[in-house]
């Protein structure tokens, strides 16, 4: 039996920008994206609204990505092994209203295909909950497309409950897709 390495979760740093941007482009899918497939020139991953401190990244020791690279930007993990960024979660405020400041929302979530099933998504969700608590939040919410069963299953297994559904909110690839709001108390 193969033992999967534990994901290492940390805050993003500016040097992660290209790696995270590339992950976003590679993982783009109508299963989770409402925007068209990214085309060059690519916009910056970090913006004025969401900088490195708004992102938690997951790394795996010795993971190899779709391009065969061993590690991002020469990062070295425990015991001198290469680490590769294999996912991220973007955490922010759902609105700019002061009366809503006790809530944080997951505004981006991605696990590289080669790292799925290794506990990376679960570790990122748990780290996001802890970070939201650290920031003083009382609730954590997210939005997920209705047809994204793998993500919805993961979220439910981590304590998120469906709190609302906007039926047919998006027209994707010729089909109307629900926008599902999920949340949990912290």
């Amino acid at each position: 039996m193969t033992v999967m390495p534990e994901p290492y979760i940390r805050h993003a740093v500016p040097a992660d920008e290209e790696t995270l941007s590339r992950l976003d482009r590679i993982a783009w899918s109508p299963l989770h994206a409402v925007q068209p497939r990214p085309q060059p020139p690519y916009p910056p991953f970090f913006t004025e609204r969401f900088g490195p401190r708004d992102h938690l990244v997951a790394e795996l020791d010795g993971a190899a990505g779709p391009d065969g690279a061993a590690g991002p930007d020469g990062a070295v993990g425990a015991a001198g092994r290469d680490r590769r960024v294999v996912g991220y979660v973007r955490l922010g405020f759902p609105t700019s209203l002061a009366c809503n400041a006790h809530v944080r929302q997951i505004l981006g979530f991605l696990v590289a295909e080669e790292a799925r099933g290794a506990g990376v998504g679960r570790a990122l969700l748990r780290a996001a909950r802890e970070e939201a608590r650290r920031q003083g939040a009382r609730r954590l919410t997210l939005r997920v497309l209705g047809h994204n069963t793998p993500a919805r299953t993961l979220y439910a297994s981590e304590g998120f409950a469906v709190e609302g559904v906007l039926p047919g909110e998006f027209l994707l690839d010729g089909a109307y897709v629900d926008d599902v709001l999920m949340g949990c108390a912290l």
Side-chain angles (χ1 to χ4, degrees):
M1 179 175 155
T2 303
V3 176
M4 297 301 290
E6 280 290 311
Y8 173 72
I9 309 295
R10 62 173 174 79
H11 276 97
V13 295
D16 292 320
E17 178 150 19
E18 180 53 37
T19 300
L20 293 172
S21 181
R22 187 173 53 251
L23 273 177
D24 249 5
R25 293 190 306 268
I26 291 169
W28 183 94
S29 164
L31 182 63
H32 57 78
V34 295
Q35 297 288 335
R37 180 181 296 279
Q39 299 295 322
Y42 302 115
F45 183 84
F46 297 130
T47 64
E48 189 174 302
R49 182 173 178 208
F50 297 114
R53 296 301 295 174
D54 300 309
H55 295 80
L56 298 172
V57 298
E59 296 177 324
L60 287 177
D61 286 337
D67 59 3
D73 306 318
V76 177
R81 293 176 290 205
D82 288 332
R83 283 191 181 151
R84 180 173 180 82
V85 173
V86 293
Y88 74 86
V89 61
R90 179 181 298 133
L91 196 60
F93 293 95
T95 72
S96 60
L97 301 171
C99 61
N100 190 227
H102 64 286
V103 179
R104 294 299 178 279
Q105 189 167 55
I106 292 174
L107 297 165
F109 182 74
L110 181 141
V111 175
E113 188 170 342
E114 72 272 10
R116 292 179 189 161
V120 173
R122 192 170 305 282
L124 281 167
L125 286 176
R126 291 176 180 175
R129 286 176 79 135
E130 192 54 42
E131 178 63 14
R133 276 190 204 101
R134 189 191 68 73
Q135 293 177 13
R138 296 177 44 95
R139 289 185 32 77
L140 181 59
T141 64
L142 59 86
R143 293 168 66 177
V144 60
L145 294 174
H147 65 225
N148 192 343
T149 303
R152 290 180 65 181
T153 302
L154 173 62
Y155 301 147
S157 76
E158 285 297 312
F160 288 83
V162 173
E163 296 181 338
V165 176
L166 297 173
E169 186 71 3
F170 299 106
L171 178 60
L172 304 173
D173 283 348
Y176 290 99
V177 179
D178 297 347
D179 186 10
V180 179
L181 176 66
M182 299 180 79
C184 64
L186 297 177

